[in-house]
Amino acid sequence: MESINRTRPADAIQKQNNLSQMIARKQESIATGMSFNRPSEAPSSWLEISSIGRQSSIENSWSNNIGRARILAQQAESTLDTISNGVIRTRELMVLANNETLAPQDREIIAIELESLQVQFNQLTQVKDNYGGQLFHTGDPIQMRIDANVLVTPTPTLQAVAEDIDIGGGATETLDMIMTNLIDAVRTGTPAERAVQLDRSKSMTDHFSTLLGNQGVLVNRLEEQELRLQESQLNTAERRSELENTNISEAIAQFQSLLVNLEAAQRLYAQTASTSLIQLIG
């Protein structure tokens, strides 16, 4: 007699195997909290997660650059603000020095204060940044990438700060030379020479006012970019969580449904298996 096992429907056996595998995977998903544990279980989700991972790595790099650039930009802004205040004081002193009723000793006091400001300016333009380098560096501007097609220069160069100050007529002078000329004019210059140097002090005021304004715009831009990047990182993290993490309540409901289906398939299979060979034939 032919074995009844040979008459069992192959699709019923396969259905039970499939259900058992699905139940095992669902149990693993609930236990680990991961919606899938192998790429083959969810190819499209795995590809999207891989893409999110690569993008997150890039965004982390941009975030690090933004943090470093913001620190440098804020330090430069603070330093430029100090220099700008000193330049404003310099102009006040030059206005005072152009008063022809001043005695020589009064002009000497003004010259001494200007010398003190000159020393301060030289120190500030050579200050170190928080990472040990020159805050206002020489050479080409240092650029940092903060987005796919966005590069920023967190601090102006030394040349832009202290070497190329527009004094009119297409001419430029260094900050140190302007201060030296101001001091000489106050001490020994004629009224006409002091008037010329008063104009130079206005050129310095305009120069640092522009630098400070540009630096403030840059700091704001970095802060806004940081917020946009944080929002993007939050959105990608949420999306990755949706793809990776198991929805426990949904998974439990699916698990229970699979158990019911398996039990039903097993009962049907048992009924079929208990049927006699003659009944199957007849």
Side-chain angles (χ1 to χ4, degrees), residues 93-134:
L93 291 171
M94 289 306 298
V95 170
L96 183 60
N98 271 263
N99 183 345
E100 296 308 318
T101 64
L102 287 181
Q105 58 268 30
D106 294 327
R107 288 202 173 87
E108 179 59 24
I109 293 173
I110 292 174
I112 291 173
E113 185 173 351
L114 289 172
E115 286 176 333
S116 176
L117 288 168
Q118 183 181 28
V119 171
Q120 181 188 42
F121 295 158
N122 288 334
Q123 291 173 341
L124 289 171
T125 55
Q126 297 297 323
V127 72
K128 298 287 186 179
D129 63 35
N130 291 335
Y131 300 98
Q134 292 296 127

Side-chain angles (χ1 to χ4, degrees), residues 19-49:
L19 285 169
S20 296
Q21 291 173 4
M22 293 172 65
I23 288 171
R25 286 198 295 268
K26 194 61 63 177
Q27 283 178 312
E28 186 178 8
S29 175
I30 294 171
T32 62
M34 303 294 290
S35 59
F36 63 94
N37 292 283
R38 289 168 289 278
S40 59
E41 294 176 7
S44 61
S45 295
W46 182 81
L47 286 173
E48 187 174 352
I49 289 171

Side-chain angles (χ1 to χ4, degrees), residues 71-92:
I71 289 172
L72 292 172
Q74 289 174 336
Q75 186 181 359
E77 181 183 36
S78 176
T79 303
L80 289 172
D81 184 52
T82 302
I83 297 175
S84 180
N85 290 334
V87 168
I88 291 172
R89 177 56 181 166
T90 297
R91 180 162 173 74
E92 293 172 351

